[in-house]
Amino acid sequence: MKHIADSTVRRLSAYLRFLEDFEHRGLTTISSDELAKQGGTTSAQVRKDLSFFGSFGKRGLGYSVPELSGRLREILGLSQHWRVIIIGAGKIGAALAQYRGFRQRGFSIVAAYDNNPEKIGRTLEGIPVRDIAQIEHDIQREAPEIAVLTVPAEAAQPMLDRLVRAGIHAILNFAPTQLQAPPEVTVKTVNMAMELEGLSFALTNRE
Amino acid sequence: MKHIADSTVRRLSAYLRFLEDFEHRGLTTISSDELAKQGGTTSAQVRKDLSFFGSFGKRGLGYSVPELSGRLREILGLSQHWRVIIIGAGKIGAALAQYRGFRQRGFSIVAAYDNNPEKIGRTLEGIPVRDIAQIEHDIQREAPEIAVLTVPAEAAQPMLDRLVRAGIHAILNFAPTQLQAPPEVTVKTVNMAMELEGLSFALTNRE
DNA sequence: TTTAACTTGTGAATGAATTCACAAGCGCAT
DNA sequence: ATGCGCTTGTGAATTCATTCACAAGTTAAA
Ligand SMILES: NC(=O)c1ccc[n+]([C@@H]2O[C@H](COP(=O)([O-])OP(=O)(O)OC[C@H]3O[C@@H](n4cnc5c(N)ncnc54)[C@H](O)[C@@H]3O)[C@@H](O)[C@H]2O)c1
Ligand SMILES: NC(=O)c1ccc[n+]([C@@H]2O[C@H](COP(=O)([O-])OP(=O)(O)OC[C@H]3O[C@@H](n4cnc5c(N)ncnc54)[C@H](O)[C@@H]3O)[C@@H](O)[C@H]2O)c1
């Protein structure tokens, strides 16, 4: 398949969110224009994004809401459930473990891991905190697909290497550090300090 | 000033991070090539990014680490302190309030706000949780520049409007929803579910 | 059946971001 | 002083993303 830009994938996620809203409200069709207004983009952009994957609309009418949302779920890989592990049961790891929004969208958090004996053995709203020492064993047994990395920055790269060796191919990183990974592994980094700095820049450089 | 792309600003943040590392290790000069390797980009990209703001390097030698990091701090608006308020003292709001990484980079969290009487009056590692009802008054008195929005999705847009009316011009939003704001207000949204969906897409569509 | 009002899907045009490529400047050794 | 090795700064070229613009398809009403 032709390479799909990151920005396109993000917009697809956004479209799916609006479609779910629409579905809830019992509406059955939607035009690229309505979809665009919701997402702060243009109708041409919406159609172009979808055109990479096929033609799902009806000319003159728009898109069937349930059909399009189904297609988007397939495209995004959300027709299946994904198993997620959280590495580092600290403040941010715990907040994420307890967050319901993920499970609702098909991501089940199966366990958290830590190296602090005080934390190992507890649970976070039903999610067990396990010893990081057993992670290779667990990955083999439970085959989680996605790891969320919430350890201190200096532990992040070694931990990533360890996860990759153990067979993880997708990592969501919260440590504020640039990580190296082999090409078959996808890493996304959420860097909140960087976002704040973007705001600082905007405040400083507006006229 | 010419318009600066968001991607450029993000890279500037990244460069600054590496420079601080370098500074710590006592190194005094760095080339665009070294900076690029650290940041996973190219030396031409580094030089182009910097060229929007001036010429800070010495041909044949590279950049002075302390000078360049100082310049970047100025450009990003980090030579001054920013006052930050957190709206929604829930799980993610609390994690952010307690996070040391922000203060270290010049963002002081002055208060959190909530509408839950159980939470109002408590503190989160020294940060007071105040009644949301008093926010207009406090904004006028304390003039915080940045608001972090960590309320439930359905409360996010009305709360944004309220913050904007009260005089806030920069908002970091964690609610998974598309927000509308007037052009003089900068909004950045961190949408973790969207990031996970990006990973799901990558896992599904790799060959 | 014909017409009018809409909306999609997509090449072509435009615009934005990145990469190339090289002249010019600097430091150091000779 | 000269030459060599290295690195910047920046127009030009290229690649990538978005927007335009319109033929073609659909519905509904007359
Ligand atoms: N808290 C926030 O709001 C926030 C915001 C942005 C980024 N971050 C980043 O997220 C990461 C975690 O932050 P936090 O505030 O949750 O810190 P924290 O100290 O509360 O949590 C880190 C956890 O990781 C565990 N840990 C450390 N080394 C480990 C190892 N080798 N193996 C397994 N577990 C290990 C610790 O025991 C601790 O429980 C940091 O990189 C931080 O910079 C946090
Ligand atoms: N927890 C996470 O890991 C996580 C991850 C991604 C996104 N988010 C998003 O962040 C937001 C907060 O999530 P959370 O898990 O912290 O939820 P939470 O319920 O723990 O926290 C929300 C807080 O906002 C307060 N609140 C609600 N309405 C308010 C109002 N009108 N004024 C002031 N305060 C109000 C509540 O009292 C509560 O304390 C949500 O939009 C959620 O989707 C959370």
Side-chain angles (χ1 to χ4, degrees):
Chain A
M1 193 212 291
K2 206 178 143 302
H3 177 257
I4 302 294
D6 225 59
S7 49
T8 296
V9 178
R10 302 179 70 81
R11 283 193 300 266
L12 294 178
S13 283
Y15 303 155
L16 177 55
R17 214 172 287 279
F18 304 134
L19 286 168
E20 286 171 350
D21 242 51
F22 259 66
E23 232 165 357
H24 261 125
R25 291 195 264 141
L27 302 170
T28 61
T29 63
I30 187 171
S31 68
S32 57
D33 199 51
E34 292 169 277
L35 219 31
K37 280 207 198 83
Q38 291 290 315
T41 177
T42 66
S43 63
Q45 180 78 81
V46 172
R47 297 199 300 276
K48 182 66 85 181
D49 286 341
L50 296 175
S51 77
F52 296 133
F53 302 95
S55 7
F56 310 128
K58 271 209 172 47
R59 288 164 195 235
L61 197 64
Y63 301 87
S64 146
V65 171
E67 189 200 323
L68 185 56
S69 64
R71 289 311 194 87
L72 285 179
R73 263 187 283 269
E74 272 174 43
I75 291 165
L76 291 171
L78 300 175
S79 0
Q80 73 169 280
H81 272 248
W82 296 103
R83 276 161 305 220
V84 178
I85 54 177
I86 293 183
I87 315 298
K91 288 190 277 285
I92 189 88
L96 293 169
Q98 295 172 30
Y99 183 48
R100 296 193 137 62
F102 295 147
R103 196 166 315 241
Q104 264 167 29
R105 296 190 77 73
F107 298 91
S108 351
I109 296 168
V110 298
Y113 292 86
D114 212 291
N115 67 353
N116 181 341
E118 307 252 315
K119 300 192 175 177
I120 296 166
R122 302 190 173 208
T123 68
L124 300 167
E125 301 208 359
I127 293 157
V129 179
R130 301 178 183 158
D131 189 342
I132 188 71
Q134 73 188 78
I135 192 153
E136 284 83 3
H137 174 254
D138 288 356
I139 288 176
Q140 205 163 70
R141 196 162 47 87
E142 302 178 331
E145 293 93 358
I146 298 173
V148 175
L149 202 48
T150 52
V151 295
E154 56 287 1
Q157 182 69 57
M159 188 55 72
L160 179 144
D161 297 340
R162 191 170 168 187
L163 292 167
V164 168
R165 275 198 306 275
I168 294 287
H169 285 84
I171 293 173
L172 181 57
N173 170 49
F174 286 84
T177 179
Q178 173 78 24
L179 296 174
Q180 304 294 324
E184 73 275 16
V185 175
T186 306
V187 178
K188 304 234 173 214
T189 291
V190 173
N191 191 325
M192 301 175 197
M194 211 175 257
E195 303 296 336
L196 279 183
E197 288 174 21
L199 290 177
S200 166
F201 177 83
L203 286 171
T204 306
N205 300 74
R206 73 190 158 158
E207 24 278 52
Chain B
M1 195 209 293
K2 210 179 141 302
H3 176 257
I4 302 295
D6 224 60
S7 49
T8 296
V9 178
R10 303 179 70 81
R11 283 192 300 269
L12 294 178
S13 281
Y15 303 155
L16 176 55
R17 215 171 287 280
F18 303 135
L19 285 169
E20 287 172 350
D21 242 51
F22 259 67
E23 231 164 358
H24 261 126
R25 291 195 263 139
L27 301 171
T28 61
T29 64
I30 188 172
S31 69
S32 58
D33 199 52
E34 292 168 278
L35 218 32
K37 281 209 197 80
Q38 292 290 314
T41 179
T42 65
S43 63
Q45 180 77 81
V46 172
R47 295 198 300 277
K48 181 67 85 182
D49 286 340
L50 296 177
S51 78
F52 296 133
F53 302 95
S55 10
F56 310 129
K58 271 210 173 47
R59 289 163 195 236
L61 197 65
Y63 301 87
S64 146
V65 171
E67 189 200 322
L68 185 56
S69 63
R71 289 310 195 91
L72 286 178
R73 263 188 283 266
E74 270 174 46
I75 291 166
L76 291 169
L78 301 175
S79 359
Q80 72 168 280
H81 272 251
W82 297 102
R83 276 161 306 220
V84 178
I85 54 178
I86 294 183
I87 315 299
K91 288 191 275 287
I92 190 88
L96 292 170
Q98 294 172 31
Y99 184 47
R100 296 193 139 58
F102 294 148
R103 196 167 313 245
Q104 265 167 31
R105 297 190 76 73
F107 298 92
S108 350
I109 297 168
V110 296
Y113 291 86
D114 210 289
N115 67 354
N116 182 340
E118 309 251 314
K119 299 192 174 176
I120 296 167
R122 302 191 172 207
T123 69
L124 300 165
E125 301 207 1
I127 292 157
V129 179
R130 302 179 183 158
D131 189 341
I132 189 72
Q134 74 187 80
I135 193 157
E136 284 82 3
H137 174 253
D138 288 358
I139 288 176
Q140 206 167 70
R141 197 164 45 91
E142 301 177 333
E145 293 91 0
I146 298 173
V148 175
L149 202 48
T150 53
V151 295
E154 57 286 2
Q157 181 70 57
M159 189 55 73
L160 178 143
D161 297 341
R162 190 171 170 186
L163 292 167
V164 168
R165 274 197 307 276
I168 293 287
H169 285 85
I171 293 174
L172 181 56
N173 170 50
F174 286 84
T177 181
Q178 174 78 23
L179 296 175
Q180 304 295 323
E184 74 274 16
V185 175
T186 307
V187 178
K188 305 237 170 210
T189 291
V190 173
N191 191 324
M192 299 174 198
M194 209 174 256
E195 303 296 334
L196 278 182
E197 287 173 21
L199 291 176
S200 166
F201 177 84
L203 286 170
T204 306
N205 300 74
R206 71 189 158 159
E207 16 282 51

